[in-house]
Structure formats: C-alpha cells, structure tokens
Amino acid sequence: MPRSANTPPQQTPQAVSSNTSSQTWSRREAEDYYGFRRWGSGHFSVDDSGCLCVHPLGDQRSIRILDIVEQAAQAGLRPPLTIRVQDMLRQRVTQLNEAFRAAISGEEYEGTYRGVFPIKVNQLREVVEEILDAGEKYDFGLEAGSKPELLVALALLENKNALLICNGYKDDEYIRLALMGRRIGKQTVIVVEQLSEIDAIIRLSREMGVEPCIGLRIKLTTAGEGKWAESTGENAKFGLTASEILAAGRKLKRARLGNALRLVHFHIGSQVPNISTIKKAVTEAARYYCELVRLGFPMGILDVGGGLGVDYDGSRSNYESSMNYSMEAYARDIIANVKNVCVQCSVQPPDITSESGRALVAPHSILIFEAVDHIARGADGDIPPLRGKRPMIVREMEDINQNPSRLDALERFHDAKQKKEEAHSLFNLGYLGLEERAAVDRLFWCVCRDIHDKLPAGGEIPDELGELDKLLAAQYVCNFSVFQSLLDHWALDQLFPIAPIHRLNEKPTVPATLVDITCDSDGKVSAFIDLEDIKSTLRLHPLQSNKRYYLGAFLVGAYQDIMGDLHNLFGRVNEAHVFLEDDEEDGFYIEETIPGSTTDKILGMIQYTADDLCRMVKRQIDRATRADQVRPREGVAMLEMYEKLMHSKTYLARNKPDEKKTRPIKGETTETTPPPVLFPKKN
Ligand SMILES: *Cc1c(COP(=O)(O)O)cnc(C)c1O
C-alpha cells in the first residue's frame, strides 16, 4: 500500500539520518567537525567520555568543562555562565611578551618592548588585575580610552616602569587626570588624537606645573583590512595628517615643550587578518617616527596599536575571521620592519609598545548556555490521521511525495512548493480545513527532506536546493541573549566557534541553528565557522527530555563581555573564575563566582525601583481581594511570587526532574526553589 497522509512517514523529522539511536563517534571526528584543534591552538581536547576539556596552559593538564559547569551549578550559578580560565589569560600575556623578547634578541634590536593592555577590550576587574599580575615582570602597562578607564588605570597600575597610554577624545578633566598621573610618578603618555588637544595640553601642563609626555596618533594611508578596516585611511575618525603633525610640532616647540614629544602611535583596526597590512603600517609609522627625530624631537617610543588577530575559525588564512600569521611572526615582523627603516634613516631604534587587546583576552573566556527546546521544521507532533475522503490538493501532494523518480529533484521541489502555496490559498479562502492544511505542510516537508537526503554529496547542486539545508534545520532554543553575550555576532556578523561540551562520543545528527530567548528575530546564530567559509547550520545532538544539553561559545573574552546591552532586560550572566589546581580532585578550583544580574538591579538602571513596583502591584491585588475576585490567601501568594521574582535572576530557570536541589548562595534566591503555589484550590 502506498504511503499516504494517513500513515505517518517513518522518518523522524529532525534527524538527518533515519537512524536516530545514537551512533558512536570518535574523538577525532568530534575534534575535526567542531574544529577544536584548529581554533583551540592546543587548548581544547575531547576525553574518553565525550566531554570537552580545556588545557589552560596548552600542556597535558586539563579541566573537564562540564565539571566546572556542574560545580558552579552546585553553588547556584547555572548557565548562562561565563567561565574565565585565568591561567589561560596569564599564558597569553607571557606568550606575547616572550614573542617580542625573542624577536628583539633574534633581530639584535637595540630597543625594548613594553606592551600595554587596552582595557576597553575587557574592563572586568579580575581580568585587568590578572593581566597586570602576569605582566609585572615584563613591565606590562595599560591603555585607557576614556575618563572612566583612566580612573581605573591610575588606581590599578602601580609599576613605575610600565606605560600608561591615554588615547581617545579628551577634555580638560581627562588631561588633568593624566597629568596628575605624571605627578605621582607614572609613565602617563597623552596621545594626541586631534590638533586641538595640543593647545589644551600646553595650557593645562603650565597651569599644573607638570611636564607632560606626549604622543601623536598618525592617520596612516595604509588601508586596514577586515571588518575594522575603517580605523585607518583618510576618512578615519582618529589621528593627525602629515601637515597636522608639523603644526603640532611647531606648537609644542613654540611653547617650549618640544622635549615632551616622545611617542608615535597608530592603530589600524582590530582583527587584522593579513600580516602584509601590518608590515606596511609599521613601515609607514616608522618613517613618521624617523622624520620627527630628524626634526629634533627626542622621541623614544613607537606604539603599534592593536590589530593582532585571533584565529576564530582556525584556518590560518587571511579570511576575516582568521589570521595568516602567528603571534611570534607578528612580533618578528614589527621588530624587523622598524629596524630596517631606522637603519635606513640612521636613527636610534625606538622602544616598541603595542596595544593588543583581543589577542590577549579572547581565548580565556567561554560562554556556556543550555539548549532548552527545539523548533523542528515540518512534520512534528501527533497529527491525527485525516478521516474520510481527502481533498484533491492533499492527494496531489501525496503523489509528489510517493513518486520521487518521476521528476528531477528541482522540478519535484518546485511542484511541492507550488502545491503548498495553493493549499495555503485554499485555506485562506475557506476551502481547506486546518487538518488538511497540516497534512499538506507535513507532506511538503517530507518531500524536502527526501530531496535533501538524496542530493549527491560533493556534486553540483542548484542554489535553491542548496538552501534546503538551512530550510530544514531545526532551531535550538538557547537560554541566553545574543545581545548580551555575543553582540558582535549580531552587529558585525562576527563568527565564534560554537560546540557542545559533552556527548561528543555520539554522532550529532541534527542540523540546527540557534535562537536565543529575546523577543527579537535577530537574536539568533545561523552562521558558523567553517574552514575559510561560513556554514549555515551546525550539527547537534537530539535533545533528551530528562537531560540538560550544554553548548559553549568560545574565544568570547574580547569585547563580548563588556559591550552587551539590556535588550529584553536580561543583563549579565553568571560567572565562574577557574584556576588549575593539582591538589584538587578535578584538577581545578573555582576562585570566584559572580552572580548574574537580578531583575531589581536591571530595573534600577532604567529608573524603576523594586519597592515601588511591588507597592503598585500590592495595591491592585488588595483591590481585587476587596472586590472578592481573589481570596485573601491567594492574594498573599501572588504578591509573594511577584516579590520573589523581582529579586531573582533574569534568565530562564528550569529544573530537570531528576536533579538534586542546588545549595543556595547566602542571601541569594536561587533559580531552583519553586515559586509559591499560585491559585490554591478552593476548599
Ligand atoms: C580598540 C583599540 C585597541 C585594541 O585593539 P585589538 O585589536 O583588540 O588588539 C588598541 N588600541 C586602540 C587605540 C584601540 O582603539
């Protein structure tokens, strides 16, 4: 008997393979598919139990990420959770400094390297403190781009040999603050971004009796490349042109502050994928440096800004989410190119500073979130079989479904699409019932799936059919907000590696995209890393009703932590800061936890106070109680629930049936205590 709409298709809708029982998968296959070895640069591996492990120092010592998640959950901090692997942060600081040291000795360069961390990339106190601590022996300093950042930097940076670079637009207060830094013995350098700042610096340094240390930001003609290319070139919003530099120099000399000019600065934009861009920019900046020396300024430092990339897709290419060079090559090329220019111009080579933010902090942070539900495409749920005579349109669709060989794939797809559209018109006109429309839709998706499964692997595929992959993908609903935690994915289409952190010994069979819990259709992830390419779906494991399914987004420590917004009032996620520890059973300990935002705190930022809102609701409940719409006991329970949620976390709180209760942190309501019973039964 031919299959009809009455007999449901045997295939489970969401799984690609007809076999949904889990197939084993090798470690290699998992590492390959999700790219752990490519983008992880030795920091990630899969263990025998199919769990993802992080190797903070890139050696054998590893921590199972699921263990961290479970330990944090025990303390009441469920995902969404940011895990900071502090040892990894330290290791990056060491790696950068050692790369420059090696380059300096390799090139027999006569200057030194003293880098700074631009705190705008991640201002979190623990991050900045960890970097300063790891960088202490290298005299590693800080860069500030605003008054608040400078206030932080002045307080935290105590190393007198380290640089404190002051960038960004400046008013009198900013300049005063920087000059105050000089008075208390810090190496504060004010980098002039616009000509008008020179006058203010001259005036204020006289007023305060402080000799400033001044740098000039140069508007390079070397064009950047990649997503942030607009930071350079003629139309850049920052920097001085050649004639403005001459004017600035004249102003300083006239004010007898010529000796204050010490530094040349440039920044070609973040995530530079191509090393040749960096070489060109460095050469151009070094020429400016030498010219300023020739004009009689003392100088001494060349600041090469940021731009050092992160290989998000692991392809080691000049694709925009990658980089075609290593940190070591970056340092070598800078040192070698500056040296060349200086030799040519017979100028003493400057000390080098760089402002690498992304490269230092991106790798240490992992965002863990839970897939809580999925929206399947096509046939799903229990659809009752059609009774009685089936309308023509249903039979036509059945025919397309049952006779795959009569038409070629594209024709079959077109026919099915046309019949589906017809069915929708008939439904709108009142000629087709809901059950029949559902049957047609269901058959349509069966046809799509059948076509998709039969597409030749690696062969030429018409564009429309190539889209089937995306069309058929399940949407995994994930308990997090793209606007809070992966802002650059939304704003700039930046790609981050995403992968499950467990079940990696099971073959993932469901092509999926991710959607977040904001009420915004843009709150989604439908582009994933691939080798020098983008894939529109990611294969994931089928969700299991009684088990949690955790995904990780990796390399998110730069910018994402700090630029998130309050879309839908979700706010910051929970955080756990992890260190390697040999004495501990799991090889790690959580040094610090930071609970995510509670609703009252978020509401406070937009001028609501929890007390007021509770009072307003209480008044309305009281009124309903007096009017006898609500029983007094019920009224009390309602108010209790409202008040409790006001002080709870903002993200979804979900309990799985077989999980133990978590131990609440003192003074904090956990997501797992059940709310008071509403609407008690009338007795
Ligand atoms: C943002 C910024 C940086 C950091 O750039 P990365 O590419 O993240 O290293 C450095 N310097 C300046 C002036 C910046 O604005």
Side-chain angles (χ1 to χ4, degrees):
M1 193 188 91
R3 208 205 271 166
S4 76
N6 287 340
T7 49
Q10 272 113 47
Q11 209 175 3
T12 327
Q14 65 274 29
V16 163
S17 128
S18 51
N19 175 10
T20 49
S21 69
S22 59
Q23 302 169 27
T24 55
W25 215 37
S26 77
R27 224 193 270 201
R28 271 268 160 236
E29 285 172 298
E31 287 172 349
D32 217 43
Y33 180 70
Y34 295 112
F36 299 131
R37 296 215 171 247
R38 288 193 299 275
W39 54 259
S41 21
H43 289 286
F44 294 92
S45 70
V46 176
D47 71 7
D48 290 336
S49 62
C51 285
L52 186 63
C53 297
V54 58
H55 300 248
L57 301 175
D59 56 19
Q60 324 77 302
R61 294 210 289 167
S62 69
I63 306 170
R64 199 192 284 181
I65 296 172
L66 190 62
D67 289 347
I68 305 174
V69 174
E70 281 170 355
Q71 196 164 317
Q74 285 290 309
L77 303 186
R78 285 215 178 284
L81 174 76
T82 294
I83 297 175
R84 292 187 194 289
V85 186
Q86 300 292 86
D87 298 285
M88 221 155 148
L89 194 52
R90 303 181 69 88
Q91 197 248 357
R92 292 296 277 192
V93 174
T94 306
Q95 191 186 345
L96 180 69
N97 281 286
E98 291 297 336
F100 272 99
R101 280 195 174 180
I104 283 171
S105 84
E107 292 289 329
E108 297 178 352
Y109 187 78
E110 285 166 39
T112 62
Y113 170 76
R114 276 179 301 162
V116 294
F117 172 61
I119 53 183
K120 75 153 192 264
V121 185
N122 195 326
Q123 297 104 333
L124 194 81
R125 178 170 182 168
E126 285 80 357
V127 171
V128 178
E129 284 179 344
E130 204 70 61
I131 289 173
L132 287 180
D133 192 56
E136 177 70 27
K137 67 173 175 191
Y138 302 105
D139 295 329
F140 206 70
L142 293 175
E143 184 261 8
S146 66
K147 270 183 284 184
E149 288 182 355
L150 182 53
L151 288 165
V152 169
L154 280 171
L156 262 61
L157 185 63
E158 293 201 45
N159 183 337
K160 299 270 191 301
N161 297 320
L163 293 169
L164 201 177
I165 306 277
C166 304
N167 288 326
Y169 289 104
K170 299 167 199 76
D171 59 6
D172 284 7
E173 292 172 344
Y174 186 131
I175 295 167
R176 270 205 188 92
L177 204 57
L179 293 173
M180 182 194 105
R182 296 279 297 159
R183 292 283 296 139
I184 54 175
K186 289 179 205 275
Q187 303 212 22
T188 319
V189 185
I190 305 176
V191 176
V192 175
E193 310 250 9
Q194 296 162 293
L195 198 52
S196 61
E197 287 172 7
I198 285 277
D199 298 322
I201 295 168
I202 292 171
R203 175 169 47 81
L204 291 166
S205 56
R206 276 197 192 130
E207 192 185 301
M208 291 173 68
V210 180
E211 166 128 357
C213 190
I214 297 173
L216 299 179
R217 177 161 180 172
I218 290 167
K219 198 174 261 183
L220 293 183
T221 46
T222 304
E225 210 183 321
K227 286 190 193 300
W228 288 267
E230 282 172 15
S231 312
T232 45
E234 308 288 348
N235 287 324
K237 103 184 194 196
F238 301 105
L240 307 180
T241 60
S243 56
E244 284 172 326
I245 284 171
L246 286 174
R250 270 199 306 273
K251 275 174 192 267
L252 287 175
K253 279 192 174 163
R254 220 177 300 137
R256 295 180 197 288
L257 279 175
N259 278 341
L261 185 55
R262 297 298 172 87
L263 178 147
V264 161
H265 172 267
F266 73 92
H267 174 62
I268 40 173
S270 208
Q271 185 63 19
V272 175
N274 199 336
I275 188 73
S276 67
T277 314
I278 289 166
K279 290 189 204 176
K280 270 187 241 155
V282 166
T283 304
E284 189 182 349
R287 277 292 300 137
Y288 273 98
Y289 180 90
C290 291
E291 284 299 300
L292 286 165
V293 171
R294 186 176 63 79
L295 293 173
F297 296 99
M299 306 310 290
I301 308 171
L302 178 63
D303 180 348
V304 300
L308 174 55
V310 166
D311 195 358
Y312 290 97
D313 67 17
S315 65
R316 285 224 158 256
S317 64
N318 61 1
Y319 190 65
E320 62 179 18
S321 49
S322 184
M323 57 198 273
N324 65 1
Y325 55 94
S326 64
M327 198 184 257
E328 289 68 28
Y330 171 82
R332 236 173 11 243
D333 280 334
I334 287 172
I335 297 294
N337 280 279
V338 175
K339 185 179 166 186
N340 271 347
V341 174
C342 289
V343 167
Q344 212 177 60
C345 306
S346 310
V347 163
Q348 171 78 17
D351 287 346
I352 301 291
T353 187
S354 73
E355 304 171 346
S356 293
R358 180 186 301 274
L360 284 190
V361 295
H364 88 287
S365 173
I366 306 168
L367 174 76
I368 304 292
F369 51 92
E370 191 189 348
V372 293
D373 203 352
H374 85 282
I375 305 166
R377 279 307 146 89
D380 203 24
D382 287 328
I383 300 179
L386 287 182
R387 282 204 205 96
K389 189 166 155 26
R390 301 189 302 285
M392 177 71 126
I393 186 85
V394 176
R395 280 180 282 133
E396 283 170 342
M397 199 63 134
E398 281 169 12
D399 186 52
I400 298 172
N401 187 34
Q402 284 151 25
N403 298 299
S405 53
R406 212 178 49 224
L407 301 167
D408 79 20
L410 192 57
E411 280 176 301
R412 197 168 163 230
F413 179 62
H414 286 158
D415 279 9
K417 225 160 96 170
Q418 191 199 335
K419 288 298 161 202
K420 185 183 71 154
E421 277 155 24
E422 267 176 44
H424 290 185
S425 305
L426 290 170
F427 175 78
N428 291 349
L429 293 168
Y431 295 120
L432 209 62
L434 184 57
E435 299 90 334
E436 288 130 2
R437 176 175 165 163
V440 170
D441 284 352
R442 196 173 150 81
L443 285 161
F444 171 75
W445 291 110
C446 288
V447 172
C448 290
R449 197 161 297 284
D450 190 50
I451 293 172
H452 176 263
D453 290 353
K454 287 178 183 150
L455 287 177
E460 272 290 302
I461 292 170
D463 282 352
E464 267 176 284
L465 299 184
E467 295 281 304
L468 275 176
D469 204 32
K470 208 156 46 175
L471 213 58
L472 288 166
Q475 290 175 312
Y476 274 46
V477 182
C478 297
N479 189 12
F480 82 119
S481 159
V482 168
F483 304 91
Q484 175 65 44
S485 300
L486 286 182
L487 193 72
D488 279 347
H489 181 71
W490 171 75
L492 296 160
D493 296 323
Q494 204 200 316
L495 300 183
F496 296 94
I498 292 177
I501 59 160
H502 56 152
R503 294 175 68 184
L504 292 165
N505 48 5
E506 245 176 78
K507 187 171 182 172
T509 50
V510 188
T513 61
L514 312 180
V515 295
D516 74 4
I517 55 167
T518 64
C519 305
D520 192 319
S521 48
D522 272 0
K524 63 173 185 195
V525 182
S526 56
F528 302 91
I529 59 158
D530 206 350
L531 277 180
E532 293 186 57
D533 199 2
I534 297 176
K535 56 186 175 209
S536 50
T537 62
L538 185 70
R539 282 184 194 232
L540 297 174
H541 302 91
L543 296 180
Q544 298 165 324
S545 60
N546 59 345
K547 294 217 181 84
R548 294 185 185 268
Y549 187 55
Y550 294 119
L551 299 171
F554 301 86
L555 310 179
V556 294
Y559 303 101
Q560 309 315 299
D561 271 339
I562 213 70
M563 295 201 304
D565 63 33
L566 290 182
H567 196 4
N568 268 143
L569 302 181
F570 283 115
R572 293 192 68 84
V573 303
N574 292 327
E575 270 191 43
H577 300 174
V578 175
F579 276 96
L580 272 172
E581 174 62 271
D582 289 333
D583 299 343
E584 298 284 320
E585 193 182 317
D586 325 317
F588 75 95
Y589 69 102
I590 295 181
E591 182 227 22
E592 175 149 33
T593 54
I594 305 177
S597 308
T598 53
T599 304
D600 52 341
K601 230 186 258 163
I602 296 282
L603 292 180
M605 295 169 76
I606 43 172
Q607 303 298 316
Y608 296 98
T609 63
D611 284 354
D612 283 350
L613 295 174
C614 290
R615 213 173 308 124
M616 284 150 84
V617 166
K618 181 173 187 309
R619 205 170 55 225
Q620 296 172 60
I621 292 175
D622 287 349
R623 209 180 297 145
T625 313
R626 276 198 304 277
D628 248 0
Q629 287 163 0
V630 166
R631 298 162 62 83
R633 201 150 63 83
E634 192 186 347
V636 171
M638 286 201 275
L639 189 61
E640 241 176 60
M641 178 181 86
Y642 185 88
E643 285 173 349
K644 178 179 175 296
L645 292 184
M646 187 61 79
H647 301 286
S648 303
K649 302 272 177 63
T650 51
Y651 289 89
L652 301 183
R654 288 170 70 259
N655 264 329
K656 290 279 178 187
D658 54 352
E659 267 173 352
K660 349 183 234 301
K661 284 247 165 65
T662 56
R663 161 161 53 82
I665 288 181
K666 234 195 211 147
E668 216 213 321
T669 42
T670 65
E671 301 124 298
T672 45
T673 29
V677 182
L678 255 196
F679 315 118
K681 280 204 202 87
K682 300 201 174 173
N683 34 26

